[in-house]
Amino acid sequence: MNEQLTLQDIYRARQRIAGLTLRTPLVRSESLSRRWNCEAWLKLDCLQPTGAFKLRGAVNALLGLDAAQRRRGVVTMSTGNFGRALAYAGQHLGIPVKVCISRLVPQNKVEALRQSGAELVIHGEAQDEADVEARRLRDEQGLAYVSPFDDPLVIAGQGTCGLEIMEEQPDIDMLFAGLSGGGLIAGIGLAVKSINPRAEVIGVSMNQGAAMLESLAAGHPLQVPEVASLADSLGGGIGLDNAWSFAMTQRYMDRGYKVDEAQIARAMLHFLREEKLLVEGAAAVGVAAVEQHQLDLSGRRVAFVVSGQNLSTATFAEACRLAGERPYENL
Ligand SMILES: *Cc1c(COP(=O)(O)O)cnc(C)c1O
């Protein structure tokens, strides 16, 4: 990494994105605090207008473009929360957004993206092929390619979530967040460590297809097969040509954990029953990690980034099945 991001970039991002994103609440969880004999805080980034923290980075990336690039527009290949966030931000800022997707993307996701105002480019049979098309459009049409996680402006935007946590609870001992491409952990890690270097930053991925954790173990970016998970927003690779999020995760993340599907399901049900929040699997992995790895949190101040709430009823039903619950009887 020749250039480095600093806390100043996160402050700059915060000023830029304030108009289109929420400063989300940090609320105490009574039930988790009691269960683990700690002070547990939930950062409710699931309340962002597009249902996930990704809007922070997407808005910052678009507002960082110069006037000519804004006119030409941007292209990405994310079919999930980032694609949705970029489309929303583009619509509000008058910047054309193209999202390249493969023919395999399910119809409900295609509809959601279309409704969010993005122009869809359907290409190839797999995400990799869609990505090749996105890069081709970048070169051919002079669009700016925006990575969902490996982009300094995106990372600085996600860092604003960590900055907000530290402003309200500067004495946090530990912070848990979902880990996929690493944009969230990179940004939050930079914010947290700049303000309190002793606070621990912990990333959590699902058991199968944890591309960043496997890459960190190997010491370089690896390609890992993608496997379906309740934490579907944590799927996908980190890019073999990763320039930012791998090095920053290596630097700022203290530990990583993997969690299994049944534990993610139980954590999702915890949010529904005890916190009265419907959250997606990726947002529940921190709670799942504490349970599965029996982490001792007693006497500590702990923050959990509740990162998103974009969940289909089918996925929720699957979570209930895996958790062994009949939701309509037992809420
Ligand atoms: C993208 C995403 C993550 C992980 O963020 P990365 O920057 O890819 O590591 C976690 N939770 C939700 C809900 C997400 O959409």
Side-chain angles (χ1 to χ4, degrees), residues 53-54 81 149 178-184 233-234 280 282 307-308:
F53 75 89
K54 292 257 187 357
N81 287 331
F149 51 84
L179 174 65
S180 176
L184 178 61
S233 292
L234 300 185
E280 56 179 284
S307 49

Side-chain angles (χ1 to χ4, degrees), residues 65-87:
L65 299 173
D66 64 28
Q69 275 181 321
R70 284 194 195 197
R71 271 194 305 277
R72 285 195 298 267
V74 301
V75 62
T76 190
M77 56 71 164
S78 162
T79 58
N81 287 331
F82 190 76
R84 190 161 164 174
L86 200 67

Side-chain angles (χ1 to χ4, degrees), residues 206-282:
M206 61 282 163
N207 266 348
Q208 305 284 318
M212 182 61 87
L213 292 178
E214 307 293 345
S215 300
L216 289 170
H220 57 87
L222 281 184
Q223 210 151 12
V224 172
E226 198 170 332
V227 177
S229 168
L230 282 177
D232 51 353
S233 292
L234 300 185
I238 70 164
L240 291 177
D241 56 351
N242 191 297
W244 292 88
S245 65
F246 175 72
M248 289 183 72
T249 302
Q250 211 170 25
R251 177 164 175 192
Y252 296 120
M253 188 176 85
D254 294 277
R255 269 178 294 144
Y257 289 103
K258 291 180 186 172
V259 288
D260 62 39
E261 295 298 304
Q263 205 65 249
I264 297 172
R266 283 197 283 278
M268 290 167 75
L269 269 292
H270 163 83
F271 275 99
L272 188 67
R273 183 170 300 117
E274 300 290 334
E275 319 291 350
K276 305 302 172 201
L277 287 170
L278 187 58
V279 307
E280 56 179 284

Side-chain angles (χ1 to χ4, degrees), residues 30-73:
E30 295 308 326
S31 75
L32 292 179
S33 299
R34 225 179 302 118
R35 187 191 300 173
W36 296 327
N37 186 31
C38 70
E39 229 178 75
W41 295 90
L42 305 176
K43 177 63 169 168
L44 301 186
D45 244 40
C46 53
L47 301 181
Q48 291 292 351
T50 56
F53 75 89
K54 292 257 187 357
L55 189 59
R56 297 174 184 268
V59 171
N60 197 43
L62 290 188
L63 289 174
L65 299 173
D66 64 28
Q69 275 181 321
R70 284 194 195 197
R71 271 194 305 277
R72 285 195 298 267

Side-chain angles (χ1 to χ4, degrees), residues 13-317:
R14 176 160 62 189
Q15 271 196 319
R16 275 208 192 115
I17 72 172
L20 279 181
T21 57
L22 280 185
R23 181 182 176 111
T24 55
L26 182 69
V27 300
R28 205 181 124 107
S29 163
E30 295 308 326
S31 75
L32 292 179
S33 299
R34 225 179 302 118
R35 187 191 300 173
W36 296 327
N37 186 31
C38 70
E39 229 178 75
W41 295 90
L42 305 176
K43 177 63 169 168
L44 301 186
D45 244 40
C46 53
L47 301 181
Q48 291 292 351
T50 56
F53 75 89
K54 292 257 187 357
L55 189 59
R56 297 174 184 268
V59 171
N60 197 43
L62 290 188
L63 289 174
L65 299 173
D66 64 28
Q69 275 181 321
R70 284 194 195 197
R71 271 194 305 277
R72 285 195 298 267
V74 301
V75 62
T76 190
M77 56 71 164
S78 162
T79 58
N81 287 331
F82 190 76
R84 190 161 164 174
L86 200 67
Y88 177 93
Q91 198 155 57
H92 282 263
L93 296 168
I95 298 173
V97 173
K98 284 195 171 76
V99 180
C100 293
I101 65 175
S102 84
R103 269 182 276 277
L104 297 186
V105 173
Q107 201 52 36
N108 62 333
K109 274 194 171 176
V110 174
E111 269 327 302
L113 278 169
R114 211 167 254 138
Q115 278 174 18
S116 65
E119 183 190 326
L120 296 185
V121 180
I122 300 176
H123 187 93
E125 302 300 328
Q127 202 51 33
D128 295 354
E129 292 174 47
D131 194 39
V132 170
E133 177 66 5
R135 290 171 200 258
R136 195 188 65 77
L137 289 173
R138 170 195 61 192
D139 298 338
E140 183 193 275
Q141 301 181 0
L143 307 178
Y145 175 88
V146 191
S147 160
F149 51 84
D150 194 31
D151 177 301
L153 289 173
V154 170
I155 292 171
Q158 318 309 27
T160 61
C161 177
L163 183 59
E164 290 171 10
I165 294 172
M166 295 310 281
E167 283 173 343
E168 288 181 41
Q169 291 294 329
D171 296 324
I172 282 290
D173 298 303
M174 300 164 104
L175 182 147
F176 288 82
L179 174 65
S180 176
L184 178 61
I185 281 280
I188 286 186
L190 170 60
V192 168
K193 297 288 185 182
S194 303
I195 294 166
N196 177 5
R198 280 171 317 175
E200 285 184 288
V201 174
I202 298 165
V204 187
S205 301
M206 61 282 163
N207 266 348
Q208 305 284 318
M212 182 61 87
L213 292 178
E214 307 293 345
S215 300
L216 289 170
H220 57 87
L222 281 184
Q223 210 151 12
V224 172
E226 198 170 332
V227 177
S229 168
L230 282 177
D232 51 353
S233 292
L234 300 185
I238 70 164
L240 291 177
D241 56 351
N242 191 297
W244 292 88
S245 65
F246 175 72
M248 289 183 72
T249 302
Q250 211 170 25
R251 177 164 175 192
Y252 296 120
M253 188 176 85
D254 294 277
R255 269 178 294 144
Y257 289 103
K258 291 180 186 172
V259 288
D260 62 39
E261 295 298 304
Q263 205 65 249
I264 297 172
R266 283 197 283 278
M268 290 167 75
L269 269 292
H270 163 83
F271 275 99
L272 188 67
R273 183 170 300 117
E274 300 290 334
E275 319 291 350
K276 305 302 172 201
L277 287 170
L278 187 58
V279 307
E280 56 179 284
V285 292
V287 169
V290 176
E291 291 290 335
Q292 182 170 334
H293 300 280
Q294 306 202 331
L295 305 179
D296 181 9
L297 303 187
S298 52
R300 328 225 26 209
R301 287 194 188 85
V302 189
F304 294 87
V305 178
V306 184
S307 49
Q309 61 180 14
N310 293 324
L311 173 72
S312 68
T313 46
T315 305
F316 179 67

